[in-house]
Every structure is written in structure tokens, then in C-alpha cells.
Amino acid sequence: MTKLAMIVILGVFSALAGCTDPDHYPISGQECGPNDPVLDMDASDCVLPV
């Protein structure tokens, strides 16, 4: 796969994910609930271990 194809695919995916309803998950389309574990996540939770 060429670099251009990868960039186009990532761009389309980003555009589609950015246009989703904020009350639904972008990939699955499931509704976000008050008990979802991701609500308690912080940016520091996404740091890779060294």
C-alpha cells in the first residue's frame, strides 16, 4: 500500500469519526451511557509504559 493510499484512508476515517453524534461511539454506533468506564479516563492513562 502506498503512502498516499494510507493518508487518504486515514483522512476519510478521521472525517467520518469527526462527524459522529457526541452521544454515540464513532465505530460501533452504540450509545454512550453514564456507567461507561471510558468516562473516567484521562490523557495520562494513554501513556505507554517505558
Side-chain angles (χ1 to χ4, degrees):
M1 188 179 295
T2 66
K3 282 186 180 181
L4 179 60
M6 289 175 39
I7 291 171
V8 169
I9 290 171
L10 287 173
V12 168
F13 179 73
S14 297
L16 290 174
C19 296
T20 60
D21 181 20
D23 293 331
H24 290 82
Y25 289 108
I27 306 261
S28 66
Q30 293 179 341
E31 188 173 359
C32 302
N35 297 328
D36 287 342
V38 295
L39 294 176
D40 297 330
M41 289 184 71
D42 190 62
S44 62
D45 295 333
C46 300
V47 177
L48 295 173
V50 179

